[in-house]
Amino acid sequence: MTKAIDYFYTHISPWAYFGHQVFLDLAQQHGIEVRFRPVHLSGVFDASGGLPLARRHPVRQTYRLIELQRWREKRNLPLTIHPRHFPVDPTLADCCAIALAACGGPVAQFSALAFRAIWAEEGDLTDRDTVAGLLSRLDLDPLPILAEAEGETARRTYADNQALAIELGVIGSPCYVLEGEPFWGQDRLDLLADALASGRSPYRPV
């Protein structure tokens, strides 16, 4: 039976951007199914004691800026430290990913484009035309996908992803959950790789 990883992320997370392709390559290497679960972090933060960026202590905000520069160099990815359209509500882009996943569409490729749009191209993920342009770049008809993303089914899945994230102990984006064991942050991908390579049983609270 093929193992699966629940991939919780939001497109306005630079950390998810940094880890996206590395994680997908790792999953492919080990023959792991990826369950894409875009999630709004508001409820996750409320449940886990986290704070949105603007409410964090200035020292933590400053340290984040240093870390962004480190990981930009480490991952060799373009990144605007202060993008023009951040923070914004990620719901439209996140729900487009949900709609694509539901129909077996190119969700991984869409998310890669969405990450790059906000973090490297000064794109506005709340703008319908911007998101439609990303879908068009994948040779998709954007209108039915946008309609699905704005519909009840995708929004219900978005809420379900948030509830599942809270249940599984997710505390931020990205979080990779393997057999109930959460790996929070793209800087934990080496530990996830070790777990996959060893085939060990998942760790639980003791």
Side-chain angles (χ1 to χ4, degrees), residues 33-63:
E33 176 191 354
V34 176
R35 293 193 285 245
F36 294 84
R37 298 194 185 278
V39 60
H40 202 291
L41 292 180
S42 58
V44 172
F45 285 159
D46 288 345
S48 64
L51 292 174
L53 180 60
R55 292 173 54 197
R56 294 175 197 165
H57 191 282
V59 172
R60 289 181 177 270
Q61 294 190 39
T62 298
Y63 186 75

Side-chain angles (χ1 to χ4, degrees), residues 21-152:
Q21 193 58 52
V22 179
F23 166 63
L24 294 177
D25 290 345
L26 177 63
Q28 183 178 38
Q29 175 188 346
H30 288 275
I32 301 295
E33 176 191 354
V34 176
R35 293 193 285 245
F36 294 84
R37 298 194 185 278
V39 60
H40 202 291
L41 292 180
S42 58
V44 172
F45 285 159
D46 288 345
S48 64
L51 292 174
L53 180 60
R55 292 173 54 197
R56 294 175 197 165
H57 191 282
V59 172
R60 289 181 177 270
Q61 294 190 39
T62 298
Y63 186 75
R64 171 183 172 275
L65 299 177
I66 295 171
E67 281 279 272
L68 286 174
Q69 294 171 81
R70 289 172 178 158
W71 283 103
R72 176 174 62 185
E73 180 178 4
K74 176 71 172 177
R75 297 296 191 209
N76 192 28
L77 287 172
L79 178 91
T80 302
I81 300 296
H82 299 285
R84 184 178 304 141
H85 301 287
F86 175 84
V88 295
D89 182 354
T91 298
L92 179 61
D94 287 357
C95 284
C96 275
I98 287 170
L100 287 169
C103 69
V107 56
Q109 295 92 325
F110 170 78
S111 288
L113 290 179
F115 284 132
R116 188 169 288 261
I118 183 172
W119 291 109
E121 299 171 353
E122 299 288 15
D124 181 1
L125 293 186
T126 66
D127 179 65
R128 211 169 182 272
D129 289 340
T130 296
V131 177
L134 301 179
L135 294 165
S136 295
R137 285 165 62 181
L138 296 170
D139 294 324
L140 300 170
D141 182 353
L143 293 183
I145 298 168
L146 286 168
E148 185 67 26
E150 293 166 337
E152 181 181 346

Side-chain angles (χ1 to χ4, degrees), residues 8 20 47 55-56 74 80 87 104 108 120 149 159 163-164 174 179 186 198:
F8 293 93
H20 185 67
R55 292 173 54 197
R56 294 175 197 165
K74 176 71 172 177
T80 302
L164 181 61
E179 297 183 307
Q186 59 91 31
S198 69

